[in-house]
Amino acid sequence: MLHIAIIGSGPAGYYTAEAAQKQWGDAVRVDIFDQLPVPFGLIRSGVAPDHQSIKGVSRRYDAVALSDNVRFVGHVSVGRDVSVAELQGLYDAVVLATGAPNDRPLGLPGADLGNVFGSAAFVGWYNGHPQFAGLAPDLSGGHAVVIGNGNVALDVARILAKTPQEFAGADIVAHALDALAGSAIRHVTILGRRGPHQIAMTPKELGELGNLARATPRVDPADLPAEAEDMMLEPGQRKSVAHLRSFAAIPEHVHADAAVEVEFDFFAAPRALIGEEGRARAIEVERTQIDAGRAIGTGDTYRIPADLVVACIGYQSSPIPGVPFEESAGRFANDEGRILPGLYCVGWARRGPSGTIGTNRPDGFSVVEKIAEDVGAGAAKQGREGFDALAKARGLDVVTFRDWQKINDAEIARARDGAPREKFVDVADMIGAAGRE
Ligand SMILES: Cc1cc2nc3c(=O)[nH]c(=O)nc-3n(C[C@H](O)[C@H](O)[C@H](O)COP(=O)(O)OP(=O)(O)OC[C@H]3O[C@@H](n4cnc5c(N)ncnc54)[C@H](O)[C@@H]3O)c2cc1C
């Protein structure tokens, strides 16, 4: 029997379990650990609450989770409750699928002012991640600035721009919905160091911004390259730029009538945050020009109001004691997923924070090949029985997949009208809903 421990129950973790099942069938036992009592990583706490069809992908993992040889071991934090070295002693292979949960630092003067957040924190707040549920951003100012030109920046801008009614059918948590309903933000600036041809925004997400109830997107036509140059772009990027062109063509009277404006400020590098009484009020920006694909400052600076700042500039993994870490890339040091024989990584913990949910799938299959090469059919380790003894001795309150199903049922039962669920945002409440004190 081969015993595998996967640390992290996001997409990368479940795809790896699926690949292991395909490879070894009944001859493998897989334990999927998560620090939270609830599974699915960023599908629950990252993917936007108004994108329910994408969140539905987690149903695909249920089949894997409910099979006899795969187990969810929730509410166990590896590195705190149990060490990687202990797991290596119990399992033939340990696979880190811990994602990249920390914000990449903004590294600007004033970044520590109040009401300046990274996207992990801000997205975690509206998605009810227990670590960030208490964030309490102040939405009483008129201007928000979102830094970054990727889909996460679009998610944040859209969430700030929507009316409460536009969250019908979304699983945005009640504390965020209430705060957004009282929001005074009427202007959202999306800052990008480079130009329209360099955005990392996908067409569907950009298109949504053109169809909001009270908000209108604004693009300065002068920022757009000549239309003929779009032919050099790959088709998806061309579609995204076509959306920006349609935003640039929105007549002034439409802007005048819109209650909220979402403005794209391209060729604009943030240089400093300026505060009053400890909280952000403005951002200093330097105009850039593109040289060989890179944004170079022109020396021309200006200020824009910024009562709330959300930096959507990428993520990094959390180091785990004893595991080699590549600081510069913010991920575990690995060779195609192998950290060393018996210890592996997949997903964002392996590649860094890029790609969609599906991008994590091939990682599972490739790491299973490496495990097969390194440990063959296993070395008679204790596997889950050994872990259960350790958990008992240590008094760990392990949450199983059946417990999660009870939490899930309770969240669905307490949903507001039209919403798929009302998430518990507190670990103790999750454990309580699982039927325990
Ligand atoms: C804001 C945002 C929106 C996104 N929207 C989309 C989208 O619309 N469509 C799309 O295709 N992709 C989207 N993505 C990308 C997608 O979410 C990622 O590709 C995917 O979640 C990465 O999977 P992962 O398993 O590597 O990490 P994660 O999903 O982050 O899972 C990691 C898991 O590990 C657990 N963990 C971490 N440390 C420990 C530890 N020490 N002990 C135990 N458990 C631990 C965490 O609790 C978590 O459950 C989005 C990403 C973000 C950030």
Side-chain angles (χ1 to χ4, degrees), residues 72-128:
F72 176 64
V73 187
H75 197 215
V76 175
S77 178
V78 173
R80 186 193 67 195
D81 298 325
V82 56
S83 70
V84 168
E86 284 170 324
L87 292 178
Q88 284 177 285
L90 293 170
Y91 295 84
D92 297 295
V94 176
V95 182
L96 302 176
T98 48
N102 299 332
D103 281 303
R104 207 160 69 77
L106 191 53
L108 293 179
D112 54 352
L113 284 166
N115 234 26
V116 178
F117 305 106
S119 53
F122 194 78
V123 170
W125 168 72
Y126 64 63
N127 265 328

Side-chain angles (χ1 to χ4, degrees), residues 7-13 33-36 41-42 46-47 51 54 76-78 97-99 123 152 155 315 320 346-348 355-357 360:
I7 321 306
S9 68
F33 292 81
D34 207 287
Q35 61 197 358
L36 291 179
L42 286 172
V47 171
H51 284 171
I54 297 172
V76 175
S77 178
V78 173
T98 48
V123 170
V152 177
D155 279 352
Y315 302 91
I320 296 183
V346 289
W348 281 17
T356 61
I357 293 165
N360 301 295

